Amino acid sequence: MPNVVAEKGSSLSAITRDPVRRVWLLRTPSSSYGLTLTGEDAPLNLHWGPPRTLPQVVALAGPDRVSPNSFEGADDGWEELPVDGGTRYGPAALQVRFADGTRAIEWAFLGSEITEAENGSTLRLNFTDRHYPLKIALFYRVLEGSDVIERWVELENSGGQERIEILRADSAAWSVPTRPAYRLSHVVGRWGAEFQLRRTELSSGETVLTSRRGITSHHANPWVMLDAGDAGEEHGEVWGAAFTWSGSWRITVARDPVDKVIFTGGFGHEGVRWFLEPGQKLRTPVFAGLYSPAGFGAASRGWHDYALRRILPHPEEVRPVLYNSWEATGFEVSESGQVELATRAAAIGIELFVMDDGWFGRRTSDRAGLGDWQVNRDRFPDGLEPLVHEVHRLGMKFGLWVEPEMVNPDSDLYREHPDWVLRFRNRRRSELRNQLVLNFADPAVSDWAFGWLTELVGDCRIDFLKWDMNRAFSEAGWPENTGDPDRLWIDHTRAVYRIMDRLRAEHPGLRIESCSGGGGRIDLGVLARTDQVWPSDNTDAFDRLLIQEGYSQLYPARAMTAWVTDNPHFVTGRRTRLEFRFHVAMTGVLGIGGDISSWSEHELAQARELIALYKDIRPVVQHGKLYRSPAAGSVQYVTDARTVVFVFAPTGHFGQSRPPVRVAGLDPEGSYRDEDTGVVHSGAVLLDRGLEISLPVGDYASAIVRLRRI
Ligand code: GLA
């Protein structure tokens, strides 16, 4: 029998170890994760898959592998954090250069610690380099009731004299078990077309998903899922990981010629370098992993549950129905115009009224004013107070758009502080949307931002901020910081986090939405300090179905803002039914972004009714479990007591009727009453044959069915 030790707790605790064989086992409700050390102390993966016992995982720890020939590394594809050094030829997760020019790392194991807290257990493996003063700690956290395993790394320069150059510091490498085939799921996009799901065979070689933009990006999102090509929504094994970071990032998925797959991920993109001064530590963000034995649907539900339990600051709340004035007014904002919109919004049941861009400085177009965060007195002669007061009087909360990290060169701020922006000597300052990026890594700049934000929120009684970020980085330099200039890629993002955290601490009632020209900054890092996110500036309901499907792979409906806007759509020119637009937006956090001052009485009445319906189903949508059925055009949200089924039929052929929609996540023994028709269905029938749903005739048809368990 192996010698099973859990430093605290029993052998049933989430983390156990066999100190003689140097094997550790992490257990979650539906998975387990095993690792060991090679004879040279390199940490190595043994198992990531179904629940196994410690003896079963110890049995996987054979003698050290040997290189099959003189061109291969023995352990490529299996290491927990493949370093640059020795006979390793895959992507390096940790790459450093010491002061004397040596680049390779050699592991020396110092010991492990297991700590148990109320909501989870943490394993820490301590290493040092065999010769140089570099300490490396690998962390693994298992959370009570969740299949997500959090991993991160801490580096420390434990020497007294010389600094260490960090060329790459990933948070974790995840080793996928050997399978006959591999498929990679991820999302791609651009402005107005975020979160398009791609599910393709993983090619041999290396696939790099990355953002070099200083933000998470519209173009890729920092997560991957892998399966053997045989998983579906509700069956098959899926291995995935998501990175909790909102700056530049890189995930490299490597498939070697003998079909071993590993992926490694962390902050920063290629070519950026950081330094660790003597005594300094660098802690990476969490790169969390999840094994699902039951398909992409179960994987998504695992991630949603993780976001609700561990990430979102107020998961228990339901998000209010909001109105946002951007598409209605553009930059043409005025006190009377906003009051008119607010009055109409309150009358149809809106709970949070958000004034978008154009309220400050000389911001009458996107050419000027960013950085001058004083209310525009031509537009709001008595400040924001009368509008905020009126919105509150109408029974709504008040939200405001801000874009703290930016400056228009045509602004008082830029004239006063031209050196506050990211820049290089002797290089142009490239503008995008007529704006430059403020260097938040510089404490003078981030202190200034926190100062005006906290004053604004406090003085004007702001309940909600839409925090926008409307351009990618360029010329990301800081000429005055000659010691470690690339650090700004990390420190800018950390400063944004710190400001959000401080704002929340000082104004506990404040709620924040993350926006970056749509979905440019959506990730688990920003979700930890915001309440909702804006997935896309493209509010066309038909396009949104795809964007939302991609979004939902990782992120919960509880945080997904979705607006109903006007016909024809400003991006696509498409016309869709109002009810269809509502139903699509009701699968997340419902908002209205259309110009309700031009809506007819009939449309307003319809809106009022649909908002009331949303408020009824909102707890199920925002807190229930999501089941997708893309083939049936359906999404469902399920709690113990209630189920809400959405069906979307944007178009059809030959006037054919649609097959019944099979309802998932129900108890076959249970009975379910249709809350609108009163008809009672058996759970087994709904699961096996499905529900007949009648849809209006014509394109952009949709329906909602509410079922209550009886
Ligand atoms: C970005 C946002 C929009 C709007 C504008 C305002 O594009 O994504 O929703 O706030 O900025 O300038």
Side-chain angles (χ1 to χ4, degrees):
M1 269 298 282
N3 182 8
V4 177
V5 177
E7 263 96 325
K8 284 194 197 127
S10 70
S11 61
L12 288 177
S13 57
I15 304 178
T16 49
R17 69 177 179 134
D18 177 337
V20 176
R21 299 292 302 278
R22 306 204 298 178
V23 169
W24 292 266
L25 174 67
L26 320 178
R27 274 187 290 207
T28 75
S30 353
S31 77
S32 58
Y33 190 95
L35 63 145
T36 189
L37 303 178
T38 66
E40 291 184 345
D41 282 0
L44 207 65
N45 185 261
L46 288 175
H47 171 76
W48 184 21
R52 295 287 178 260
T53 64
L54 187 61
Q56 288 164 348
V57 172
V58 168
L60 294 167
D64 278 2
R65 290 187 184 81
V66 287
S67 304
N69 60 54
S70 60
F71 299 96
E72 310 290 343
D75 294 318
D76 280 348
W78 294 93
E79 291 195 85
E80 290 289 292
L81 196 76
V83 294
D84 172 21
T87 54
R88 295 181 177 89
Y89 305 102
L94 177 61
Q95 208 169 16
V96 304
R97 193 196 318 264
F98 299 102
D100 64 2
T102 295
R103 276 174 49 142
I105 288 174
E106 292 185 0
W107 294 97
F109 181 59
L110 299 175
S112 71
E113 295 160 37
I114 296 169
T115 46
E116 284 182 25
E118 214 173 284
N119 55 2
S121 315
T122 306
L123 167 67
R124 176 185 176 135
L125 299 178
N126 293 313
F127 302 86
T128 182
D129 182 84
R130 229 170 250 288
H131 175 82
Y132 293 93
L134 175 64
K135 287 200 170 141
I136 308 163
L138 270 51
F139 289 85
Y140 298 79
R141 185 156 58 205
V142 180
L143 310 160
E144 177 92 45
S146 168
D147 285 317
V148 169
I149 297 174
E150 295 183 337
R151 293 182 55 192
W152 70 97
V153 170
E154 199 174 280
L155 304 174
E156 183 186 351
N157 180 343
S158 52
Q161 273 147 32
E162 284 155 338
R163 60 189 202 160
I164 300 172
E165 190 178 355
I166 311 286
L167 303 167
R168 184 79 205 153
D170 279 354
S171 300
W174 293 93
S175 179
V176 181
T178 311
R179 290 292 181 274
Y182 294 101
R183 188 166 54 167
L184 174 68
S185 300
H186 64 113
V187 288
V188 300
R190 58 172 169 77
W191 177 85
E194 298 86 337
F195 292 108
Q196 295 175 55
L197 182 61
R198 292 287 183 271
R199 193 158 276 157
T200 51
E201 187 194 344
L202 177 65
S203 37
S204 296
E206 293 174 15
T207 305
V208 177
L209 308 175
T210 189
S211 161
R212 305 182 182 99
R213 291 171 160 83
I215 45 169
T216 325
S217 93
H218 306 73
H219 304 75
N221 199 264
W223 62 263
V224 290
M225 291 189 201
L226 285 134
D227 76 299
D230 55 2
E233 273 297 302
E234 300 302 333
H235 70 271
E237 292 183 297
V238 178
W239 295 263
F243 192 42
T244 60
W245 183 246
S246 314
S248 288
W249 56 274
R250 188 177 77 194
I251 297 175
T252 306
V253 189
R255 175 178 186 169
D256 75 15
V258 289
D259 281 347
K260 184 67 186 73
V261 168
I262 189 167
F263 58 91
T264 176
F267 53 12
H269 51 275
E270 75 286 350
V272 293
R273 305 173 318 161
W274 308 312
F275 291 93
L276 267 191
E277 301 295 335
Q280 228 181 11
K281 287 183 181 170
L282 179 73
R283 186 187 173 133
T284 71
V286 165
F287 192 18
L290 174 122
Y291 163 79
S292 155
F296 297 108
S300 297
R301 288 188 289 280
W303 286 112
H304 300 166
D305 174 71
Y306 172 65
L308 260 67
R309 266 172 208 256
R310 289 286 305 189
I311 300 287
L312 287 167
H314 290 286
E316 72 294 347
E317 292 181 355
V318 287
R319 305 307 315 138
V321 180
L322 73 74
Y323 179 79
N324 179 296
S325 60
W326 173 245
E327 285 194 30
T329 66
F331 289 101
E332 299 305 315
V333 297
S334 66
E335 188 178 308
S336 58
Q338 293 291 310
V339 167
E340 190 198 329
L341 286 169
T343 309
R344 288 202 161 215
I348 56 173
I350 298 289
E351 298 160 312
L352 163 64
F353 181 85
V354 184
M355 176 161 68
D356 211 277
D357 202 348
W359 59 268
F360 55 91
R362 282 187 304 284
R363 184 76 171 166
T364 51
S365 75
D366 64 16
R367 284 183 296 278
L370 273 178
D372 298 338
W373 296 101
Q374 301 82 30
V375 63
N376 179 330
R377 293 273 167 176
D378 296 337
R379 296 178 161 196
F380 299 89
D382 300 312
L384 291 179
E385 170 58 24
L387 173 62
V388 179
H389 178 81
E390 182 58 10
V391 167
H392 285 160
R393 194 194 63 79
L394 288 164
M396 298 182 291
K397 296 204 180 280
F398 182 78
L400 196 60
W401 180 94
V402 291
E403 193 178 358
E405 296 148 88
M406 294 294 156
V407 65
N408 285 122
D410 185 0
S411 65
D412 294 341
L413 183 76
Y414 189 71
R415 282 182 280 272
E416 200 178 321
H417 297 288
D419 292 346
W420 275 13
V421 298
L422 299 180
R423 74 211 138 84
F424 286 123
R425 287 204 176 94
N426 310 315
R427 291 286 170 254
R428 67 173 68 89
R429 300 177 178 195
S430 303
E431 293 175 25
L432 289 169
R433 207 192 190 208
N434 311 303
Q435 59 198 59
L436 297 168
V437 184
L438 291 170
N439 177 12
F440 269 33
D442 180 346
V445 183
S446 53
D447 285 352
W448 160 83
F450 175 74
W452 68 259
L453 277 162
T454 191
E455 209 178 293
L456 177 71
V457 170
D459 290 357
C460 299
R461 294 182 299 135
I462 310 290
D463 305 299
F464 178 93
L465 287 177
K466 173 177 171 184
W467 182 308
D468 211 336
M469 198 295 182
N470 273 316
R471 64 156 290 178
F473 284 19
S474 66
E475 293 95 22
W478 183 1
E480 292 73 31
N481 180 349
T482 47
D484 197 1
D486 287 356
R487 259 301 171 116
L488 69 85
W489 290 97
I490 299 179
D491 288 347
H492 182 100
T493 302
R494 284 186 171 162
V496 169
Y497 286 173
R498 227 175 7 253
I499 294 172
M500 288 180 173
D501 292 344
R502 279 182 72 191
L503 279 175
R504 299 192 76 106
E506 290 200 6
H507 310 278
L510 178 70
R511 299 293 174 263
I512 304 178
E513 178 175 76
S514 170
C515 172
S516 175
R521 186 147 66 191
I522 296 181
D523 55 79
L524 294 171
V526 86
L527 276 173
R529 53 266 303 169
T530 53
D531 302 278
Q532 57 197 73
V533 291
W534 180 230
S536 184
D537 279 349
N538 183 349
T539 51
D540 174 305
F542 179 62
D543 284 354
R544 268 294 173 116
L545 285 175
L546 282 186
I547 292 171
Q548 295 179 178
E549 186 191 343
Y551 167 98
S552 77
Q553 301 299 312
L554 234 292
Y555 306 112
R558 155 68 178 72
M560 182 180 79
T561 318
W563 301 348
V564 176
T565 57
D566 292 334
N567 273 339
H569 192 265
F570 82 101
V571 174
T572 62
R574 188 177 283 125
R575 290 178 177 276
T576 50
R577 292 174 204 253
L578 186 63
E579 191 181 53
F580 181 82
R581 281 174 269 151
F582 261 96
H583 287 173
V584 171
M586 285 160 77
T587 63
V589 176
L590 175 65
I592 314 284
D595 183 3
I596 45 176
S597 61
S598 65
W599 286 18
S600 67
E601 280 310 318
H602 175 69
E603 286 170 322
L604 289 169
Q606 220 183 335
R608 197 176 309 119
E609 231 170 76
L610 286 159
I611 289 171
L613 172 63
Y614 178 71
K615 288 178 183 168
D616 172 63
I617 61 174
R618 167 167 63 184
V620 187
V621 171
Q622 295 192 12
H623 290 142
K625 293 192 167 84
L626 169 72
Y627 288 84
R628 290 177 298 250
S629 178
S634 151
V635 289
Q636 295 168 49
Y637 299 87
V638 181
T639 62
D640 288 343
R642 295 180 81 196
T643 295
V644 179
V645 184
F646 290 85
V647 182
F648 299 104
T651 190
H653 286 296
F654 316 120
Q656 268 163 358
S657 60
R658 297 173 65 83
V661 173
R662 289 175 65 191
V663 186
L666 303 184
D667 177 0
E669 307 287 328
S671 297
Y672 296 85
R673 193 182 61 240
D674 183 319
E675 294 182 36
D676 295 290
T677 64
V679 175
V680 175
H681 303 274
S682 112
V685 170
L686 293 174
L687 285 163
D688 298 336
R689 191 170 61 209
L691 185 66
E692 302 279 355
I693 297 180
S694 66
L695 289 167
V697 179
D699 287 347
Y700 303 110
S702 56
I704 294 178
V705 178
R706 297 178 286 177
L707 299 169
R708 186 179 288 275
R709 186 165 185 173
I710 49 175

